[in-house]
Amino acid sequence: MNKLENEFPEGFLWGGATAANQIEGAFDADGKGLSNNDVVERIKPKDRKKLHLPFPSSQEIQEALDNQDQRHFPKRYGIDFYNRYKEDIALFKELGFKAFRLSIAWTRIFPNGDETEPNEVGLAYYDNLLDELLKNDIQPIVTLSHYEMPLHLSMEYGGWTNRKVIDLFVRFAETVLERYKDKVKYWITFNEINSILMSPFISGGILRDKVKEEEVLQAIFQAAHHQFVASAKAVQVCHRLIPDGQIGCMVLGMINYPNSPHPEDLLAALQDQHKTFFFTDVHVRGHYPSYMKRFFKEHGITIEKQPEDDEILQSNLVDFVSLSYYMSTVSARPETVGEQAAGNILTNLKNPYLEASDWGWQIDPIGFRTLLNMFYERYEKPLFIVENGLGAHDKVEEDGSIHDEYRIDYLRQHIKQMREAIDDGVELLGYTAWGPIDLVSFSSSEMSKRYGFIYVDQDDEGNGTLERSRKDSFYWYKEVISSNGEKLD
Ligand code: BG6
């Protein structure tokens, strides 16, 4: 066999990815409104291995609002990136970042979501942040909505189940696209848009008491439809305002293996795989895939559409597909009993061939390569890996060093498989590792689940100096970037 090139393309966008609600903190500063993540409580250590995606009632929200003990709500204070972004960007520069993925907090721009005029202080904050990145030759990649919406829209409008939210989102999107059109070329509409299936509150703004139990699935798919239309409208605005810009959709990338060669297990895996592909199919092909007809029929789901919706979806296709990838999962026919795997969302059975992270996420670098191939074969559109990484406990040695070879190992294996995928013919725009600096976990709001190359001195309760320091992986990733992915070992 001839030797393969095994290299990353020139201009490959190496970097890191974050979300406003997990790093910024300053949740009520400078006119910011409350977002739905500001009322999400940290999980208890005994529940660490379980998945707790909140689906609160209005009353529980009220209780959270009354609770002023900020230690329970780490997303309110984050890692104080809001005030320390210059220091952090200097470290990203030292790492050699070509790109940095961030999200804009909707509530800094439109505090309640339904104002007609934006908050200038919020806009100015992102001007400064983006300028700082550009000054350091770091390309910003901006997510419009990363697990965050104004709490007011959840409480008063029913979140994304309400069609009015489309226009409110588009107003926000247009405001920031117009404002930052000369600073940002890469945009992403909704983070992990498929997560709404498991996370109706965080991803869809839906409150438990506002929907009858038997109608939750209906509400989720209606909300998803509104997000599709909103996403397509944001694509339209981006293409109008930024001719050389690129805008993509983003999904939680999951590969589903059949539990056995039993034909029904393969069918189950296919059906689970559709839970991811449905969302990219709509964005890339511009219409609902045929396989959803049966699903909707069987589950009694009717999507209310306006006459113009099909045309909006069809005429505003994304330029690239972006995805996160952390783990794979196993699907089985309904009667199968087996040990469940942990995960953030969309996970099923345990895979006996794989090791798992401290949080039970099944580590599968080869699955990464396979999934990239599946996406690329399906769409032949460029892919952007905008999240990948290992959440782990780190130990700080007496001299302050942190030897996180487990993280290096995880990333090395995944980057190697990404390189294989490039040789398979997959077109990749870049790779932004999740949480280059330790941040608050999305699913558990813990600090001790660390992803960073940069350590942040803060514990789960918010104690610590917030001082930043370099882990071993910092020096390793720096080499990876400066060698354009050649020096991995
Ligand atoms: C992705 C999210 O699902 O996974 C991120 O887009 C999140 O926001 C990341 O942080 C890792 O999940 P967790 O729960 O370990 O923070």
Side-chain angles (χ1 to χ4, degrees):
M1 258 203 301
N2 293 331
K3 208 173 164 299
L4 294 165
E5 283 167 33
N6 231 249
E7 56 187 38
F8 288 93
E10 221 177 287
F12 189 77
L13 291 169
W14 294 99
T18 58
N21 73 84
Q22 293 173 259
I23 56 170
E24 286 180 2
F27 78 106
D28 57 358
D30 297 332
K32 180 182 173 296
L34 285 173
S35 98
N36 54 356
N37 255 310
D38 294 328
V39 291
V40 169
E41 252 187 280
R42 175 166 47 85
I43 65 148
K44 316 249 173 334
K46 70 175 176 44
D47 293 330
R48 185 171 271 164
K49 288 247 161 123
K50 289 189 228 143
L51 176 64
H52 283 266
L53 291 176
F55 189 18
S57 63
S58 313
Q59 193 190 328
E60 283 161 340
I61 298 285
Q62 196 48 56
E63 284 162 15
L65 290 173
D66 294 341
N67 191 340
Q68 289 304 312
D69 188 345
Q70 313 301 3
R71 285 170 309 160
H72 297 300
F73 301 93
K75 287 175 186 152
R76 293 184 187 173
Y77 51 79
I79 54 162
D80 195 31
F81 182 79
Y82 189 74
N83 294 306
R84 293 168 190 249
Y85 68 88
K86 287 193 180 164
E87 181 193 340
D88 293 341
I89 291 172
L91 286 163
F92 300 155
K93 169 81 176 167
E94 191 182 325
L95 272 161
F97 274 17
K98 313 278 181 231
F100 177 62
R101 176 178 173 228
L102 65 141
S103 69
I104 294 182
W106 187 347
T107 48
R108 290 206 190 280
I109 312 301
F110 291 98
N112 282 323
D114 58 0
E115 295 86 349
T116 47
E117 293 304 317
N119 171 24
E120 177 53 35
V121 188
L123 286 169
Y125 167 71
Y126 290 106
D127 263 325
N128 295 336
L129 171 55
L130 294 168
D131 287 344
E132 190 68 20
L133 288 167
L134 294 172
K135 206 169 83 190
N136 285 286
D137 296 319
I138 300 174
Q139 177 96 243
I141 296 159
V142 173
T143 315
L144 291 168
S145 174
H146 191 131
Y147 287 157
E148 193 248 357
M149 79 183 302
L151 185 62
H152 175 73
L153 298 186
S154 279
M155 309 273 277
E156 301 301 325
Y157 288 69
W160 279 98
T161 59
N162 187 336
R163 196 175 169 92
K164 286 187 191 147
V165 172
I166 299 178
D167 288 344
L168 300 175
F169 176 80
V170 175
R171 183 185 296 161
F172 158 66
E174 183 149 11
T175 304
V176 296
L177 280 153
E178 173 65 45
R179 176 85 171 212
Y180 309 124
K181 64 180 182 219
D182 298 325
K183 302 182 184 186
V184 182
K185 298 295 167 210
Y186 289 94
W187 296 83
I188 291 169
T189 56
F190 288 87
N191 181 66
E192 294 187 340
I193 187 164
N194 50 336
S195 64
I196 195 168
L197 298 179
M198 300 293 288
S199 179
F201 175 62
I202 294 297
S203 306
I206 305 171
L207 293 169
R208 199 174 70 238
D209 56 315
K210 297 286 167 76
V211 188
K212 288 193 201 123
E213 211 180 318
E214 61 281 13
E215 287 173 10
V216 171
L217 208 55
Q218 164 71 37
I220 285 176
F221 278 97
Q222 187 61 55
H225 177 71
H226 293 152
Q227 292 189 340
F228 287 144
V229 175
S231 181
K233 287 187 165 193
V235 169
Q236 188 177 39
V237 176
C238 180
H239 286 160
R240 173 165 51 82
L241 294 175
I242 318 179
D244 60 339
Q246 293 207 41
I247 184 159
C249 57
M250 196 280 194
V251 284
L252 188 166
M254 181 62 79
I255 183 158
N256 302 82
Y257 297 106
N259 193 37
S260 78
H262 192 294
E264 286 179 30
D265 282 348
L266 181 58
L267 185 62
L270 176 73
Q271 287 167 343
D272 281 339
Q273 201 67 57
H274 283 161
K275 291 179 188 160
T276 306
F277 282 147
F278 165 50
F279 293 85
T280 40
D281 282 352
V282 175
H283 279 95
V284 180
R285 296 175 171 161
H287 55 259
Y288 275 51
S290 53
Y291 53 79
M292 289 309 283
K293 278 194 193 130
R294 179 174 182 148
F295 180 88
F296 289 154
K297 202 168 186 185
E298 286 180 348
H299 292 84
I301 292 166
T302 312
I303 307 286
E304 265 183 50
K305 288 185 184 175
Q306 291 301 310
E308 66 275 20
D309 289 1
D310 287 342
E311 169 60 21
I312 293 170
L313 297 181
Q314 195 63 65
S315 325
N316 299 291
L317 306 180
V318 289
D319 302 309
F320 62 89
V321 172
S322 64
L323 58 136
S324 61
Y325 180 82
Y326 293 92
M327 72 198 110
S328 63
T329 187
V330 176
S331 302
R333 55 195 187 280
E335 64 272 22
T336 312
V337 183
E339 202 185 331
Q340 293 289 313
N344 53 358
I345 26 187
L346 300 177
T347 41
N348 292 337
L349 295 176
K350 220 173 157 113
N351 186 332
Y353 299 104
L354 300 178
E355 311 245 301
S357 75
D358 290 351
W359 272 259
W361 296 18
Q362 308 189 100
I363 301 171
D364 183 7
I366 293 180
F368 186 30
R369 171 181 173 185
T370 310
L371 187 67
L372 293 177
N373 274 278
M374 285 163 68
F375 270 110
Y376 195 69
E377 283 171 17
R378 200 173 179 98
Y379 305 126
E380 293 190 330
K381 285 250 179 197
L383 304 180
F384 204 147
I385 316 307
V386 293
E387 285 185 34
N388 173 237
L390 178 74
H393 295 285
D394 287 333
K395 180 167 175 267
V396 186
E397 305 295 337
E398 266 177 31
D399 63 358
S401 58
I402 297 154
H403 305 305
D404 56 342
E405 65 288 345
Y406 36 88
R407 182 167 294 111
I408 295 175
D409 192 48
Y410 176 99
L411 293 167
R412 178 194 292 125
Q413 290 188 53
H414 283 77
I415 293 174
K416 279 187 176 167
Q417 291 304 322
M418 193 161 68
R419 206 159 64 180
E420 293 295 334
I422 291 174
D423 274 329
D424 293 335
V426 174
E427 193 184 343
L428 290 184
L429 293 172
Y431 174 87
T432 52
W434 178 251
I437 180 164
D438 292 343
L439 39 69
V440 177
S441 154
F442 148 63
S443 56
S444 58
S445 292
E446 291 164 289
M447 252 329 273
S448 47
K449 188 179 192 186
R450 297 176 183 274
Y451 285 86
F453 307 115
I454 301 161
Y455 185 86
V456 176
D457 179 26
Q458 177 170 252
D459 69 12
D460 286 339
E461 304 240 301
N463 307 305
T465 61
L466 284 171
E467 209 173 288
R468 280 55 170 154
S469 57
R470 297 160 187 79
K471 305 181 193 176
D472 285 359
S473 58
F474 182 97
Y475 303 100
W476 173 82
Y477 195 48
K478 188 174 156 118
E479 281 281 304
V480 172
I481 297 178
S482 68
S483 65
N484 197 23
E486 218 173 279
K487 285 197 196 151
L488 291 173
D489 293 313

